[in-house]
Amino acid sequence: MEETISLKEIMEVLRKNIWIIIASMLFFATATFGYLQVFVAPEYEAVSQVLITQNAENQDSAVQNSEIQANIQMVNTYSVVIKSPRILKTAAEEIDPNMSVEALASKVSVDSVQNSQVINIHVVDENPEKAIEEAKIVTKSFLKETPKMMKVSNVELLANPFTAQKTSPNIKIGLLAGTFAGLVVGVVIAFARRVFDERFKKEEEIVSRLQIPVIGTVGNITETETRSSSEDLIRRRKKK
């Protein structure tokens, strides 16, 4: 027989198990925080910027606008070039002779501001100073190799990184995820207790589940009432 739970019963289940839900949320949030602090190594990101320029001798505005649009379209090409083995191999050798191109490539990412001629080169490392230095070296390698590779001279350094921002672990996001996971687990436990609790809580449940009428009920007997009944029984026996 299927059993349905009304909204009122759902709220009652949540109310009765509120401490289980809160404890679950606190446990998961604490466990997530501990995991992020102990087992997740911090990572820092340094960002350098490269500008795709236009030729200064082109004074005609129409020519300049056309060249700007062409340079914007070239940003995607340059973004791929930055992560090419030719660029990264030179940079890796300067950073560490034992570093592979693949290892450096896993640290580097490239993006650009929409509809701009600026390319951002991101480098991530567990050491903030190393992230800054590696970002500078990768950028320098790109500026050195690109003119020879692309036969152009329209790239120049816009900004070198001087600081590195901590990007991982994100404690706030981790705590939110852990708290939400604890909420879900707590609610599941609350309803599991409700589903597997076979005790009858209302007369309607007896009629619904057993299909028999209720002919009487017994109220709760308190300890005081039990003691009074025992004393009355003893007095009656003494009278006899």
Side-chain angles (χ1 to χ4, degrees):
M1 180 184 302
E2 295 185 358
E3 181 181 0
T4 59
I5 303 179
S6 66
L7 179 60
K8 182 178 179 180
E9 289 175 316
I10 291 175
M11 299 304 297
E12 184 67 15
V13 170
L14 296 177
R15 185 188 66 79
K16 288 183 177 179
N17 294 275
I18 185 64
W19 290 112
I20 292 178
I21 296 173
I22 293 175
S24 177
M25 293 170 64
L26 291 175
F27 172 79
F28 274 83
T30 303
T32 301
F33 178 79
Y35 175 80
L36 293 177
Q37 291 284 51
V38 177
F39 296 103
V40 179
E43 290 186 341
Y44 298 86
E45 181 183 72
V47 183
S48 60
Q49 293 183 319
V50 175
L51 177 64
I52 311 301
T53 62
Q54 62 264 15
N55 295 325
E57 60 270 16
N58 291 332
Q59 300 298 324
D60 184 82
S61 60
V63 174
Q64 286 187 355
N65 290 334
S66 175
E67 188 172 354
I68 290 173
Q69 293 302 317
N71 289 337
I72 291 175
Q73 294 176 4
M74 283 293 293
V75 166
N76 293 331
T77 301
Y78 286 129
S79 298
V80 175
V81 170
I82 292 172
K83 296 198 66 174
S84 67
R86 180 169 175 175
I87 302 297
L88 295 184
K89 182 179 180 181
T90 304
E93 290 174 351
E94 184 175 349
I95 294 170
D96 184 351
N98 297 321
M99 177 180 284
S100 65
V101 174
E102 292 76 13
L104 181 57
S106 66
K107 296 182 175 185
V108 178
S109 62
V110 183
D111 63 22
S112 61
V113 181
Q114 188 176 8
N115 295 326
S116 77
Q117 298 173 250
V118 177
I119 298 176
N120 299 318
I121 302 175
H122 305 258
V123 177
V124 176
D125 195 274
E126 295 180 2
N127 185 309
E129 298 299 327
K130 286 185 64 177
I132 295 172
E133 185 63 24
E134 290 170 358
K136 291 180 179 179
I137 293 174
V138 171
T139 304
K140 183 178 69 174
S141 176
F142 169 69
L143 295 174
K144 179 181 178 181
E145 297 293 332
T146 299
K148 296 183 291 184
M149 185 189 311
M150 304 288 292
K151 308 301 180 184
V152 294
S153 58
N154 64 338
V155 290
E156 65 179 43
L157 178 65
L158 181 61
N160 260 328
F162 295 98
T163 60
Q165 301 295 325
K166 186 176 182 180
T167 59
S168 177
N170 193 320
I171 301 298
K172 291 182 179 180
I173 297 299
L175 287 177
L176 286 175
T179 303
F180 180 75
L183 173 63
V184 172
V185 172
V187 171
V188 169
I189 292 175
F191 282 97
R193 294 184 66 197
R194 168 65 175 80
V195 170
F196 292 105
D197 187 358
E198 297 294 334
R199 294 175 297 176
F200 295 113
K201 301 174 182 61
K202 296 183 297 183
E203 296 178 16
E204 293 80 0
E205 293 182 6
I206 299 176
V207 177
S208 174
R209 292 166 60 180
L210 300 182
Q211 296 295 307
I212 58 176
V214 177
I215 58 176
T217 60
V218 178
N220 293 328
I221 301 177
T222 64
E223 183 179 353
T224 303
E225 292 174 334
T226 304
R227 189 182 303 112
S228 299
S229 299
S230 300
E231 292 173 354
D232 291 341
L233 179 60
I234 293 173
R235 283 197 296 268
R236 286 198 297 269
R237 287 179 177 176
K238 286 182 179 180
K239 289 181 180 179
K240 293 180 179 180

